[in-house]
Amino acid sequence: MSPEAASPQAAILQFLESLQSPARLLVAISGGSDSTGLLLLLDEAVKAAPHLKISLCAATVDHGLRAGSADEARQVAALCASLGIPHIIAAWQGEKPKTGIMAAAREARYDLLAESAERLGANLIVTGHTLDDQRETLQMRGMRTEQLSSGIADAVLFDRRFWILRPLLFSSRADIRAFLRERDVAWIDDPSNEDVKYERVRVRRQLSADRATEMDIHAAWEARLAVSSAAAEWLDRHFRLHGGLLGQVSVDGLRQDRAVLDYALGRLTAVFGGQPFVPGRAHMERLLSFVTGGEPGRVTVGRVVFDLRRDGLYLARESRGILPLVLRPGEAGVWDGRFRVCNGSAVNARIEARAGLSSLIPVLVTGIQPPRVGAVNDSTKQDESSAPNDLGAEDSCDEHRNKGGEGRGLPKAAWKRAVASAPAFSVDGHPLSPKSVDSIRLAPYFAPFDRFLTRFDFIFAGRLSAVFAMAPYAGPPLRSIDGKTI
């Protein structure tokens, strides 16, 4: 995976040699030129290099959004059969959303690809994203923000389960199509690729008419990796977590390099706020100005309350706007973008914020993933019983602190705010029985990382997992990146 790849063939060979082996790759193929080229390139290279111990399978996702998609999927199946490559057609079932269809289709596509990989015994997924896709993405992101973008990542961990790799990111669509023409292989043209109602199509046409100076993607990737590494060290030195709910940044941590602070606080905001993306530029500038200004006070950004005090910065999810989640027996889901919950009990479980539910016990997440809710509930009861009666009374002075329990030594207002955002469980308005609670599993969920984690953020996310006492993320399945051994 190198920006200097001279051709699609060279890019694929370098990619295969970079993989840890043995490996089984699931090729995501729609039938378009990019994914068809990827399949044939990989097939030729794998057959020419059996010593690499790499095998192929493939999957086509039929979104069912236009007439003819099922026929196209069958055409792809026939191509795979002719090559002797196992293939699955995965259909997007159920009612489609009225709005946000492209984002929903993307989510469904990767879910179906992961399911297909499991069925076919693949341990990696590869997609046919090209240099053209990279240029379009950079152009679109550049129109939305002044921040330097690293574009499409060459390696992304999906749902903590599968690494998605993109070996053709530095190969052009024109070269891939030339490769297919040489082999007399046709491809399918999706009519939506010409529909100007989609932003990407409009940007594609603009780029074809005006080839602007292109940024050095490789340099942007190196810069992103460097700041991720520095932010991971910042976490070790300057960040503490209390009860799985309240973050604390030391005073010295607020005096560190602004780029590192920007990166770390932006991602902590997304994690504590349960949001998949960091706040926008204007919000981050407001937050950075506040935390480095030195004046005690509070500000809310990205659903997170930042409480600046003499001994540092405290951050917790604001207690407003937290929607309940009801899980039937055996169901799992993500609550408030912050916790993954699996209901192993025999009753419907309602998960909602502790705020306003005085009869329910909040769950403070303190154990290795996945913690047993019952055990954590027990410890929380002990903590609360030893806490003072006025726990959580609003205060603005550092000397007003909790004296007992989990919140010992912490500002009462900050701790109360954190506990108010804790998950609590009930059924029909009443606390769950100890047996039911004991059957529910709860684990922290990192909204900006647990669904799609790029290798650029891997170092920081891994360190954050350690802070939350979580199981580590699976490492990239690569022996080398850009020709460098890792």
Side-chain angles (χ1 to χ4, degrees):
M1 292 185 284
S2 169
E4 292 79 31
S7 67
Q9 293 94 324
I12 289 297
L13 181 59
Q14 184 180 35
F15 164 71
L16 292 177
E17 291 177 342
S18 75
L19 291 178
Q20 295 175 358
S21 62
R24 184 165 175 79
L25 312 183
L26 178 89
V27 183
I29 175 168
S30 66
S33 61
D34 301 345
S35 59
T36 301
L38 173 64
L39 182 75
L40 266 70
L41 285 159
L42 284 169
D43 182 57
E44 287 189 6
V46 165
K47 288 175 178 175
H51 64 282
L52 293 177
K53 299 180 181 178
I54 294 172
S55 63
L56 303 178
C57 54
T60 300
V61 175
D62 179 7
H63 296 95
L65 296 177
R66 56 186 176 79
S69 63
D71 287 337
E72 292 170 0
R74 285 190 286 270
Q75 290 179 45
V76 175
L79 172 64
C80 291
S82 71
L83 297 171
I85 297 174
H87 175 265
I88 284 177
I89 297 176
W92 185 17
Q93 305 287 355
E95 188 176 350
K96 309 301 188 292
K98 303 297 184 184
T99 59
I101 187 67
M102 298 305 290
R106 177 176 181 265
E107 292 286 332
R109 178 164 61 254
Y110 284 111
D111 275 328
L112 290 168
L113 287 174
E115 292 172 10
S116 299
E118 289 177 339
R119 287 177 57 189
L120 292 172
N123 60 324
L124 300 173
I125 298 170
V126 291
T127 68
H129 290 83
T130 67
L131 180 59
D132 301 76
D133 297 313
Q134 185 72 280
R135 288 168 174 156
E136 294 159 10
T137 297
L138 288 168
Q139 181 77 0
M140 289 189 293
R141 292 180 183 175
M143 291 187 294
R144 296 191 186 106
T145 177
E146 295 178 359
Q147 290 177 285
L148 179 65
S149 173
S150 50
I152 301 173
D154 55 351
V156 177
L157 180 63
F158 172 70
D159 213 21
R160 279 184 172 259
R161 292 187 294 160
F162 286 102
W163 277 96
I164 300 168
L165 307 177
R166 295 156 176 162
L168 295 177
L169 267 183
F170 294 94
S171 298
S172 73
R173 180 166 295 126
D175 286 345
I176 294 169
R177 289 183 171 182
F179 165 81
L180 290 174
R181 290 190 188 98
E182 288 175 2
R183 282 145 184 81
D184 198 24
V185 176
W187 62 85
I188 300 167
D189 285 317
D190 184 342
S192 65
N193 288 331
E194 300 300 326
D195 192 338
V196 294
K197 75 178 181 181
Y198 297 116
E199 180 188 18
R200 185 172 289 276
V201 175
R202 297 194 299 271
V203 168
R204 182 176 303 141
R205 292 188 175 185
Q206 176 187 341
L207 287 172
S208 65
D210 177 22
R211 281 302 214 204
T213 302
E214 295 170 1
M215 64 175 289
D216 185 343
I217 292 294
H218 191 51
W221 284 2
E222 290 297 325
R224 179 77 170 270
L225 284 166
V227 74
S228 174
S229 180
E233 292 184 12
W234 179 92
L235 274 179
D236 278 349
R237 297 178 181 178
H238 305 295
F239 182 79
R240 292 184 63 193
L241 181 68
H242 304 283
L245 297 166
L246 180 65
Q248 180 183 1
V249 179
S250 70
V251 173
D252 189 47
L254 300 176
R255 298 172 180 151
Q256 302 303 306
D257 179 81
R258 190 177 179 90
V260 173
L261 197 60
D262 184 4
Y263 179 97
L265 286 182
R267 282 148 186 82
L268 286 174
T269 302
V271 167
F272 278 82
Q275 303 276 46
F277 304 107
V278 302
R281 186 72 264 147
H283 291 292
M284 283 306 302
E285 288 297 336
R286 174 169 166 257
L287 175 60
L288 291 171
S289 295
F290 168 72
V291 302
T292 59
E295 289 295 323
R298 290 193 291 269
V299 67
T300 301
V301 176
R303 310 201 310 182
V304 176
V305 177
F306 293 87
D307 191 345
L308 185 60
R309 295 169 179 263
R310 289 196 293 267
D311 63 341
L313 178 71
Y314 294 87
L315 57 151
R317 169 73 162 96
E318 66 174 336
S319 56
R320 296 180 300 174
I322 302 178
L323 301 178
L325 173 69
V326 177
L327 295 175
R328 294 191 294 269
E331 279 191 332
V334 175
W335 176 75
D336 195 45
R338 296 183 294 138
F339 294 97
R340 187 185 295 277
V341 188
C342 180
N343 182 13
S345 75
V347 299
N348 289 346
R350 179 182 173 91
I351 306 99
E352 54 195 311
R354 171 68 172 83
L357 300 175
S358 58
S359 63
L360 300 182
I361 299 300
V363 180
L364 305 186
V365 183
T366 58
I368 296 295
Q369 180 199 26
R372 191 168 56 84
V373 171
V376 181
N377 258 334
D378 294 341
S379 66
T380 305
K381 291 178 183 178
Q382 296 169 3
D383 291 341
E384 287 213 329
S385 65
S386 60
N389 292 332
D390 63 345
L391 171 65
E394 287 293 335
D395 74 284
S396 58
C397 301
D398 287 346
E399 60 267 23
H400 293 173
R401 293 179 177 268
N402 296 329
K403 302 302 182 183
E406 182 71 35
R408 182 184 294 113
L410 299 172
K412 289 190 293 185
W415 180 242
K416 176 184 176 182
R417 191 177 302 115
V419 171
S421 72
F425 296 88
S426 66
V427 57
D428 297 329
H430 301 287
L432 293 178
S433 68
K435 181 179 180 180
S436 293
V437 168
D438 198 46
S439 300
I440 296 177
R441 292 192 173 272
L442 181 85
Y445 180 81
F446 299 156
F449 301 134
D450 280 10
R451 189 67 171 168
F452 295 97
L453 172 60
T454 73
R455 72 171 177 94
F456 314 129
D457 296 317
F458 182 79
I459 300 171
F460 181 84
R463 201 67 55 88
L464 193 66
S465 280
V467 169
F468 276 78
M470 295 276 286
Y473 289 97
L478 303 168
R479 290 197 303 250
S480 64
I481 295 178
D482 296 341
K484 302 175 183 177
T485 301
I486 59 173

